[in-house]
Amino acid sequence: MKIYIATDHAAFCIKENVKKILQDLGNEVIDLGPMDDSRVDYPDFAHKLCENVLNDLGTQGVLICGTGIGMSLAANKHKNIRAALCHDSFTAKMAREHNDANVLCFGQRVVGLGVIESICKAWSESSFEGGRHANRVKKIEL
Ligand code: RB5
């Protein structure tokens, strides 16, 4: 899977670790920044990442900020982006299987690297189940 990744300054410190985790799981990872830990506004990076995902069919995104909340709120403003704020492997698995989420969000100040690894693994190894979930996902868009 081709996965775009972006953070804000709060999560910049773990971006390289997360890239490595995703690559080790067999993903191609495209880094959309930031490239240093200067203060930035998370919506700028959320919007940049969503535009890339929407313009590159079949790709996914990973957005990380302090809590993951700001990134998920901004990402979900985009039509056809389903950004899921995940705190563990279960929520990551469900986000893919039931919600067909295409952007994974989590918080650097909320989860440690061990949990992040299990979140990325569950996300990468899970796919949308379709069936009864398909119509529900369709109904998300207004
Ligand atoms: C930055 O201090 C923090 O507000 C941001 O990373 C994020 O947690 C927002 O939702």
Side-chain angles (χ1 to χ4, degrees):
M1 176 64 65
K2 185 170 169 184
I3 299 184
Y4 291 94
I5 187 170
T7 71
D8 70 355
H9 53 282
F12 174 76
C13 57
I14 58 160
K15 180 151 60 71
E16 289 305 316
N17 299 83
V18 178
K19 282 164 66 178
K20 169 96 171 59
I21 289 169
L22 292 167
Q23 283 160 350
D24 288 350
L25 287 163
N27 300 293
E28 178 193 353
V29 182
I30 316 286
D31 188 343
L32 296 178
M35 295 309 170
D36 62 49
D37 66 357
S38 310
R39 281 190 182 280
V40 293
D41 297 331
Y42 59 81
D44 295 337
F45 285 87
H47 295 321
K48 181 180 179 183
L49 180 134
C50 291
E51 281 158 18
N52 275 273
V53 168
L54 291 168
N55 288 327
D56 195 357
L57 209 67
T59 63
Q60 297 176 344
V62 171
L63 286 169
I64 323 163
C65 60
T67 58
I69 296 171
M71 286 294 200
S72 57
L73 290 173
N76 279 314
K77 292 291 177 188
H78 293 257
K79 186 174 163 58
N80 293 325
I81 289 291
R82 290 174 299 281
L85 176 53
C86 298
H87 300 295
D88 48 39
S89 58
F90 179 70
T91 46
K93 183 175 188 282
M94 288 298 106
R96 288 291 304 123
E97 290 184 353
H98 287 196
N99 310 112
D100 199 17
N102 50 8
V103 174
L104 168 65
C105 302
F106 50 85
Q108 183 273 332
R109 295 171 181 160
V110 182
V111 284
L113 274 178
V115 174
I116 290 172
E117 198 169 341
S118 65
I119 287 173
C120 291
K121 189 169 190 296
W123 176 273
S124 292
E125 291 175 354
S126 306
S127 48
F128 185 46
E129 282 180 0
R132 70 188 190 280
H133 303 294
N135 200 38
R136 295 168 186 163
V137 168
K138 215 181 283 172
K139 283 184 172 183
I140 292 173
E141 296 290 346
L142 295 172

